[in-house]
Amino acid sequence: MIDLEKQNELLKLAAEARDRSYSPYSHYAVGAALLTKDGVVYQGCNIENASYTPTVCAERSAFFKAIFDGVREFTAIAVIGSGESPAYPCGVCRQVMAEFCDGDFAVITSNCDGSCVIAETLDQIMPHRFGPKDLL
């Protein structure tokens, strides 16, 4: 896991990213801050679409920005939503994490005001995941 100071920094950056959300349909804004093993942070937000299927989550938005830049090693992600409960990654986002992250990858979730923060590992939120190692 990462230290509390870094966790708080990531949550702050996730909250900033949430402000860029395009969520006119659900009105549920989500921001993410993805920490690479090199210490670089990629921010992402959810981007909705009227036909729903093209909608992308904040977590995948951050991952895809990093992957486009050639980054393949990650340490942690913080996710903060606009609701009263912590914003957990959806199944699709968890599968993207499983593609690029080890089981000790930190997943930090928070509610809208930061009063409820939960820090877990990818192993904890997706214990029997399918990843690239399963294809070898």
Side-chain angles (χ1 to χ4, degrees):
M1 275 301 194
I2 61 173
D3 65 47
L4 189 58
E5 183 178 335
K6 182 55 83 173
Q7 178 177 301
N8 289 336
E9 177 187 338
L10 287 175
L11 286 168
K12 179 180 179 259
L13 292 169
E16 288 176 10
R18 180 184 57 196
D19 292 339
R20 295 182 177 209
S21 168
Y22 177 74
S23 48
Y25 308 106
S26 72
H27 305 288
Y28 187 78
V30 181
L34 175 65
L35 177 64
T36 70
K37 290 211 177 187
D38 294 335
V40 177
V41 176
Y42 285 85
Q43 293 171 286
C45 65
N46 60 321
I47 304 166
E48 295 180 349
N49 188 284
S51 67
Y52 297 110
T53 303
T55 295
V56 67
C57 298
E59 299 92 313
R60 284 181 283 143
S61 176
F63 266 97
F64 295 165
K65 284 170 58 179
I67 292 161
F68 176 82
D69 283 350
V71 179
R72 299 290 188 275
E73 295 182 331
F74 305 98
T75 302
I77 192 165
V79 185
I80 187 167
S82 57
E84 296 299 317
S85 298
Y88 272 93
C90 74
V92 174
C93 289
R94 292 177 196 210
Q95 187 57 48
V96 169
M97 291 175 196
E99 183 74 17
F100 294 99
C101 304
D102 294 330
D104 63 348
F105 176 75
V107 180
I108 302 136
T109 60
S110 177
N111 64 338
C112 62
D113 64 5
S115 63
C116 182
V117 176
I118 300 170
E120 297 176 298
T121 65
L122 182 57
D123 273 346
Q124 290 173 303
I125 68 165
M126 196 173 184
H128 304 287
R129 68 189 177 281
F130 176 83
K133 294 175 185 169
D134 297 308
L135 298 176
L136 302 176

